[in-house]
Amino acid sequence: MKTKIVTKEDLDILNNEGIHHIFPDKIKLSIQMGTCGKASGAERIYHIIKNKINTDILLTSTGCIGLCEKEPMVNVFVPGYYPVVYCDLDEEALEELLPAWIQGELPEKNCLMQLNRTTFNTNGPILKVKENIPQMEEVSFFKLQKKIALQNSGIIDPFSVEEYTGRGGYYSLYHVLKDLAPEKVIEIITDSGLRGRGGGGFLTGRKWQSCRNAPGEPKYVICNADEGDPGAYMDRTVIEGDPFRILEGMAIGAYGIGSPEGYIYVRTEYPLAVETLHKAIREAREYGLLGEHIFGTDFSFDINIRRGGGAFICGESTALMASIEGKVGEPRVKHIHTVVSGFREKPTTLNNVETWANIPAIISMGSEEFKKIGTKGSTGTKVFSVVGKIMNNGLVEIPMGITVKEIIFDIGGGIPFGKKFKAVQTGGPSGGCIPEKLLDMPVDFDELKKAGSMMGSGGMIIMDEDTCMVDVARYFVSFLVQESCGKCTSCREGTYQLFNILNRITEGQGKEEDITLLEELSETIIDTSLCALGKTAPNPVLSTLKYFRDEYDAHIKEKKCPARVCKALIEYRIIPEKCTACGKCRKACPYNAIAGEKKVPHQIIKDKCVKCGICFEICPFDAITKV
Amino acid sequence: MEEKDICTIKIDGKKISLAKGSTVLEGAKMLGIFIPTLCYHEALPPRGNCRLCIVEMSIVKRGRTYSWIDASCVYPVEDGLIVQTDTPKVRRERKLILELLLSRAPDSDVLNKLAVEYDADKNRFVSSDNGDSNCILCGLCVDVCNNLMHSSGIGTAFRGINKKVVSPFNITQEVCTGCLACISVCPTGAIKARFEGENLNIETWNVKLKMLKCHSCGKPFYPGVYVDMLKDKVTMAEELLKKCPECRRKVFRLSVK
Ligand SMILES: Cc1cc2nc3c(=O)[nH]c(=O)nc-3n(C[C@H](O)[C@H](O)[C@H](O)COP(=O)(O)O)c2cc1C
Ligand code: SF4
Ligand code: FES
């Protein structure tokens, strides 16, 4: 049984313990074990290390620091020095590194960077910097970043409330409960300009105020961790790396709004996140940081977890609430807002994981400091998952207002294999594609909207010159066809017809009037769909039509796919001058569609070829082309 | 009613004052203005599924005019709201919605009649017809079964274009009482049911119910389970309930004499 944290002294003791955990007097190895780390083999690394060390060495886990491309990673702490992050680890690398670490050495091999005072500014002792090892702010991936929501992810042990407190956690809640009236809390959040990070960008403080003002008891707060966008994993990483931040944020919000009970709606496909939350809630309850009379005050608040079945639409506020109530996850019309009548028809505040994660930071730094980060209309930072055709796949947290170009080229390291950038899709499946000419656009809720895309929850998919934009539109629309709840005609039937038209264009069956039909359909779907899924579903079509109209025309009029992606419109050919008749392609072709003998240039038999592209990949002499 | 509970709106140029919480469609009905609807039924709360009842709305707030399209059956009136029910844009979008609905239910009489009025082209879109019914997923049958009859004999399964109204797990189930409320609210006549000898066969829901024979004339009249359900709901002697409506009336007529 743990002693409940009641007084400031209790909290200080916990904080001290935490600092001691983060900077122990022994060597400590922290394996980055987020879902992304595990997928790269972090568990293996963990077990190898575990079997080779004795009790003099501490072994813990931590979340993801963002550079998923270079996982598995281990943070090595040697007393006296700031922790050093090692990357791209495998058994072989460990053979050399582990003995060195055990000796208290910090070799340069596989070394990514050293964390330093930028990361640990106010917490903990001042330690030594290791020469020859790049510092975090010297690594281009991290240089432009500003970490708030991801402040602790990949730094602390996510299961340790001590370490969270050691990083300043729970002081905000303490301050709020002891010194501030609920109205004042809402005032700070409103004044900070924080806008919801889950999609709409609604002012969080204003939402809380409406909920507080609405009649009806009890009020509820909900954390939206449904995260259904393809390619997005910001929320998962925050939960896996720093769960107490969300619990603290929700408790602060609940105090402001006047709510005794909260829910976290998290998708079942995130088993580690679910487990992490369960453990964190249990731990917080034991310390009295959730439950009755938190910090000995009159404020009581507890949190329940509800798991979603992975329907994208259940991220929409009204569908989410229906789902928690045990009903079919379908949206309802929102002419009466959920802040007035939401979960169980009571006033309900729903915020995204990242929104909640910002709350403790805003309280501790104050709204004035927070406003200094970002732009006037979009304050603070935003986490993006930068994926696709990009060197540094990963999670980045940037101050609002830096340009898309900086994210892709400076942080992301640009496009691999010397390919040309073509477009970036932001805002999830119903966002839009931004072309090269708009790359200097600052990342900001309003600017993205102006460009025909949106912030969404922060997915950023980078596409290179080998991407067909009609095919991209088709892909996103097909996702939405599958994920439409099917309640209303315009979205259910309309997106299906959008898909059919796009499909026939990519198959070379497009007609000239298809473009007008796409536009007409899009207008009606946007105007008449019931919820935001339908209302934004045509975005991928409209934005690609706007910026890449020539590709549509090429497909329809010339029956050509300029990026050579759409199978029906391409053909594989062997260039006889380059073919050495090595026979590799002939053997690899699963359809026996390649004919040829020794010393005679090979040929593709058109009728048999299904355009799988295996020969194209396998030819060592680049003798096969797509036309 | 206090003044603050009343909203005055204009529909097609005509002013009307309505209680807060009323919908635009209700206002239009009072004014005798016709708006086509498919998923609306007086006995049930509006749902906004079919989107046929869309209208153009506008309102001036803080000196700015906002205009948008929305479904009138679910839109609650606000003071100062201006509604237009039959503009070219509304007609164009209704036409497209009808075309979409026809791609699913090409044989529905209601839809074909509306198609003539709106000049809808049945062949602009690929068929999404699953072949065996005119269901347009308006949701009325599910609502009436669950929330008025409290039977929960049907519900929706799957989502998006694959969504269907089915009996639980699409198998024969025992909660249906054969009240046929679903058939009475269905706008497109999509639910198939037949009397077969002593049985009521609701094919669409995989239900076969034995009919009770009238205790007086011996004619099968209601499904037995339906009469059982009525026993709990109406105050009528059991012997009377077990007679067909005609024979029951005879009994009443006798007793009045
Ligand atoms: C189809 C659809 C899916 C959504 N999915 C999510 C989601 O996965 N996570 C999320 O936080 N918000 C999602 N949203 C936005 C939520 O409805 C809601 O606006 C948000 O959670 C509010 O929190 P915020 O104000 O903190 O952004 C989705 C919205 C729509 C229309
Ligand atoms: S717009 Fe799409 S997802 Fe939203 S209610 Fe209609 S069918 Fe469902
Ligand atoms: S009648 Fe209004 S949406 Fe169907």
Side-chain angles (χ1 to χ4, degrees):
Chain A
M1 192 66 197
K2 288 172 174 139
T3 39
K4 300 235 186 272
I5 307 298
V6 179
T7 62
K8 182 84 183 320
E9 288 67 44
D10 295 342
L11 198 58
D12 287 340
I13 293 170
L14 201 64
N15 167 281
N16 242 316
E17 262 177 59
I19 293 177
H20 201 72
H21 280 204
I22 300 172
F23 308 106
D25 40 25
K26 289 180 181 177
I27 293 171
K28 183 178 78 167
L29 306 177
S30 312
I31 323 294
Q32 295 194 15
M33 299 255 268
T35 295
C36 43
K38 286 189 172 180
S40 314
E43 271 172 332
R44 236 186 103 64
I45 301 288
Y46 185 92
H47 285 115
I48 292 172
I49 296 181
K50 196 173 175 193
N51 288 334
K52 289 198 180 157
I53 55 173
N54 57 28
T55 48
D56 283 344
I57 311 280
L58 298 169
L59 182 62
T60 64
S61 69
T62 179
C64 165
I65 208 165
L67 192 47
C68 312
E69 186 80 32
K70 296 203 186 304
E71 269 165 324
M73 296 201 215
V74 176
N75 302 356
V76 180
F77 174 77
V78 172
Y81 292 93
Y82 282 114
V84 174
V85 184
Y86 286 84
C87 63
D88 285 325
L89 295 172
D90 52 20
E91 228 163 308
E92 207 185 305
L94 276 185
E95 246 166 60
E96 195 179 324
L97 286 169
L98 193 55
W101 295 340
I102 295 174
Q103 295 298 317
E105 287 163 22
L106 294 166
E108 281 169 46
K109 183 186 160 64
N110 288 57
C111 167
L112 175 69
M113 61 183 178
Q114 185 174 28
L115 307 169
N116 56 30
R117 277 196 76 69
T118 326
T119 303
F120 299 104
N121 43 6
T122 48
N123 321 100
I126 295 178
L127 301 171
K128 273 184 280 189
V129 163
K130 186 94 183 155
E131 278 176 34
N132 305 334
I133 287 183
Q135 298 298 295
M136 187 171 186
E137 58 275 12
E138 290 163 13
V139 178
S140 61
F141 182 79
F142 293 97
K143 202 186 292 174
L144 293 174
Q145 293 198 46
K146 166 95 194 151
K147 302 226 177 196
I148 295 179
L150 293 177
Q151 203 171 48
N152 292 335
S153 184
I155 308 287
I156 63 167
D157 178 353
F159 300 112
S160 161
V161 71
E162 293 86 356
E163 292 196 21
Y164 177 64
T165 311
R167 295 275 285 153
Y170 278 113
Y171 281 90
S172 295
L173 181 62
Y174 184 88
H175 172 55
V176 159
L177 295 190
K178 296 278 185 170
D179 313 326
L180 301 181
E183 291 82 0
K184 181 71 192 162
V185 177
I186 298 185
E187 196 185 306
I188 295 172
I189 301 302
T190 309
D191 189 50
S192 76
L194 177 70
R195 294 171 70 168
R197 305 299 196 230
F202 197 79
L203 269 176
T204 304
R206 196 178 296 160
K207 191 189 266 186
W208 291 12
Q209 188 67 56
S210 313
C211 190
R212 181 171 177 82
N213 293 347
E217 299 287 338
K219 296 182 164 114
Y220 294 101
V221 294
I222 304 182
C223 170
N224 189 343
D226 192 54
E227 198 164 55
D229 298 13
Y233 58 104
M234 300 75 59
D235 297 345
R236 187 191 74 204
T237 305
V238 175
I239 295 173
E240 289 173 358
D242 201 10
F244 292 103
R245 173 176 293 272
I246 297 153
L247 306 188
E248 188 186 2
M250 287 178 76
I252 294 170
Y255 174 74
I257 293 154
S259 157
E261 194 177 347
Y263 285 82
I264 300 178
Y265 187 79
V266 53
R267 56 194 332 216
T268 301
E269 291 94 324
Y270 283 178
L272 182 60
V274 175
E275 186 195 324
T276 311
L277 284 171
H278 273 296
K279 278 192 190 160
I281 289 176
R282 218 177 304 136
E283 187 95 351
R285 280 184 191 144
E286 281 188 16
Y287 278 107
L289 298 167
L290 276 179
E292 301 283 313
H293 301 292
I294 299 176
F295 292 127
T297 65
D298 286 341
F299 175 66
S300 302
F301 175 68
D302 209 342
I303 297 177
N304 306 295
I305 296 176
R306 289 291 178 274
R307 288 179 303 158
F312 177 62
I313 190 61
C314 286
E316 194 276 344
S317 52
T318 55
L320 182 147
M321 290 172 203
S323 173
I324 304 185
E325 287 169 11
K327 298 183 186 141
V328 177
E330 275 177 9
R332 62 158 176 81
V333 282
K334 277 205 278 195
H335 304 310
I336 298 168
H337 292 294
T338 48
V339 285
V340 174
S341 173
F343 179 56
R344 294 182 184 149
E345 289 172 26
K346 299 292 180 203
T348 306
T349 293
L350 173 73
N351 279 120
N352 168 258
V353 169
E354 196 186 328
T355 314
W356 290 119
N358 269 287
I359 304 298
I362 295 175
I363 298 290
S364 73
M365 73 171 84
S367 54
E368 284 309 314
E369 275 308 303
F370 186 79
K371 269 194 286 193
K372 285 185 193 157
I373 310 164
T375 62
K376 194 155 176 291
S378 306
T379 54
T381 60
K382 177 78 193 87
V383 183
F384 284 95
S385 60
V386 183
V387 299
K389 302 293 172 63
I390 183 101
M391 290 296 274
N392 302 326
N393 261 302
L395 265 202
V396 305
E397 181 168 3
I398 46 110
M400 300 267 196
I402 79 167
T403 65
V404 182
K405 197 180 206 161
E406 285 172 299
I407 298 182
I408 297 173
F409 290 93
D410 298 342
I411 299 176
I415 319 294
F417 309 116
K419 296 271 181 188
K420 246 183 80 148
F421 169 86
K422 186 182 249 179
V424 48
Q425 151 94 10
T426 69
S430 42
C433 294
I434 299 167
E436 186 169 16
K437 67 171 186 222
L438 294 180
L439 275 184
D440 284 319
M441 176 175 57
V443 170
D444 168 297
F445 283 102
D446 309 312
E447 294 288 330
L448 282 167
K449 207 165 179 175
K450 264 192 249 162
S453 184
M454 55 186 193
M455 184 76 85
S457 53
M460 217 178 238
I461 302 174
I462 320 294
M463 295 172 268
D464 69 6
E465 57 186 310
D466 292 339
T467 317
C468 166
M469 298 314 287
V470 186
D471 185 57
V472 164
R474 191 189 71 116
Y475 166 75
F476 284 114
V477 171
S478 80
F479 176 85
L480 293 164
V481 171
Q482 280 166 33
E483 295 298 336
S484 157
C485 82
K487 180 181 163 94
C488 71
T489 309
S490 339
C491 167
R492 179 189 65 234
E493 308 291 333
T495 53
Y496 178 64
Q497 297 300 344
L498 278 181
F499 172 76
N500 285 325
I501 300 169
L502 292 167
N503 201 38
R504 88 173 160 241
I505 297 177
T506 58
E507 285 181 348
Q509 314 282 322
K511 295 172 274 188
E512 299 220 1
E513 57 281 17
D514 279 347
I515 303 271
T516 14
L517 193 53
L518 282 175
E519 284 166 344
E520 194 189 330
L521 249 176
S522 297
E523 182 196 0
T524 300
I525 297 172
I526 291 171
D527 282 343
T528 68
S529 287
L530 188 149
C531 84
L533 187 147
K535 282 186 177 303
T536 55
N539 274 352
V541 182
L542 293 178
S543 75
T544 48
L545 265 176
K546 182 169 172 191
Y547 298 120
F548 301 95
R549 176 63 187 262
D550 50 332
E551 293 197 28
Y552 281 85
D553 288 340
H555 282 77
I556 294 171
K557 292 184 191 151
E558 297 152 37
K559 307 290 175 211
K560 283 246 167 341
C561 174
R564 300 194 181 90
V565 170
C566 299
K567 270 192 191 174
L569 302 178
I570 55 165
E571 210 173 84
Y572 287 93
R573 282 199 202 141
I574 297 178
I575 309 167
E577 296 78 39
K578 284 196 178 174
C579 178
T580 62
C582 71
K584 279 216 166 110
C585 59
R586 182 165 41 85
K587 282 177 208 134
C589 177
Y591 287 85
N592 294 326
I594 299 182
E597 288 162 31
K598 270 185 192 160
K599 295 186 186 160
V600 185
H602 287 23
Q603 264 182 337
I604 296 176
I605 307 163
K606 255 196 201 172
D607 296 346
K608 284 192 179 176
C609 175
V610 298
K611 298 168 187 173
C612 67
I614 291 179
C615 54
F616 181 79
E617 301 290 331
I618 216 166
C619 176
F621 305 102
D622 286 337
I624 298 181
T625 58
K626 276 193 265 188
V627 286
Chain B
M1 203 178 286
E2 283 182 55
E3 205 169 301
K4 68 171 178 31
D5 294 327
I6 295 188
C7 303
T8 303
I9 68 169
K10 234 189 215 174
I11 307 181
D12 292 348
K14 293 181 199 157
K15 251 192 192 164
I16 182 168
S17 296
L18 296 149
K20 217 176 195 157
S22 318
T23 64
V24 169
L25 181 66
E26 285 165 349
K29 276 186 192 282
M30 283 182 195
L31 286 170
I33 295 169
F34 176 73
I35 297 174
T37 61
L38 285 169
C39 71
Y40 176 79
H41 194 285
E42 281 89 347
L44 294 162
R47 64 214 64 248
N49 284 24
C50 75
R51 315 312 282 174
L52 197 64
C53 68
I54 48 162
V55 293
E56 259 190 275
M57 311 205 208
S58 64
I59 199 162
V60 181
K61 271 186 185 166
R62 283 173 237 107
R64 271 185 65 186
T65 309
Y66 298 85
S67 310
W68 71 100
I69 298 261
D70 221 323
S72 58
C73 68
V74 280
Y75 202 87
V77 291
E78 297 175 73
D79 234 351
L81 189 71
I82 295 169
V83 179
Q84 287 181 294
T85 66
D86 207 32
T87 63
K89 188 174 168 76
V90 166
R91 289 192 73 86
R92 190 171 71 235
E93 301 201 335
R94 271 192 207 145
K95 164 180 178 296
L96 198 121
I97 290 168
L98 281 168
E99 290 170 342
L100 291 173
L101 287 170
L102 278 162
S103 71
R104 167 174 289 266
D107 303 326
S108 149
D109 291 339
V110 198
L111 292 182
N112 279 297
K113 262 187 218 137
L114 281 161
V116 174
E117 147 130 36
Y118 283 91
D119 198 19
D121 177 353
K122 264 171 98 164
N123 300 316
R124 274 215 297 175
F125 297 117
V126 174
S127 166
S128 66
D129 183 13
N130 58 7
D132 58 353
S133 94
N134 282 328
C135 175
I136 54 162
L137 293 163
C138 71
L140 285 171
C141 56
V142 175
D143 198 4
V144 80
C145 180
N146 286 269
N147 300 327
L148 272 188
M149 306 314 295
H150 302 290
S151 295
S152 303
I154 46 176
T156 55
F158 312 109
R159 54 176 186 251
I161 198 77
N162 299 316
K163 196 175 195 119
K164 277 194 178 81
V165 180
V166 287
S167 58
F169 304 103
N170 209 9
I171 51 170
T172 306
Q173 35 85 13
E174 271 134 39
V175 281
C176 174
T177 62
C179 74
L180 302 187
C182 52
I183 293 190
S184 84
V185 295
C186 178
T188 57
I191 304 163
K192 287 183 206 137
R194 278 183 292 154
F195 291 106
E196 282 174 321
E198 295 190 354
N199 290 322
L200 167 64
N201 182 1
I202 314 179
E203 290 164 39
T204 316
W205 312 139
N206 282 311
V207 171
K208 214 176 232 183
L209 298 170
K210 201 160 167 57
M211 303 287 281
L212 190 72
K213 285 187 190 147
C214 173
H215 278 199
S216 296
C217 68
K219 199 177 74 184
F221 70 108
Y222 284 161
V225 280
Y226 180 69
V227 176
D228 288 344
M229 184 219 23
L230 284 183
K231 259 189 262 171
D232 301 336
K233 298 210 169 158
V234 291
T235 45
M236 197 189 277
E238 191 168 337
E239 199 34 50
L240 268 179
L241 275 173
K242 288 187 173 165
K243 290 181 199 299
C244 75
E246 274 157 43
C247 292
R248 208 181 294 151
R249 235 171 275 135
K250 278 184 208 156
V251 175
F252 277 120
R253 238 178 277 145
L254 283 175
S255 70
V256 172
K257 266 183 195 169

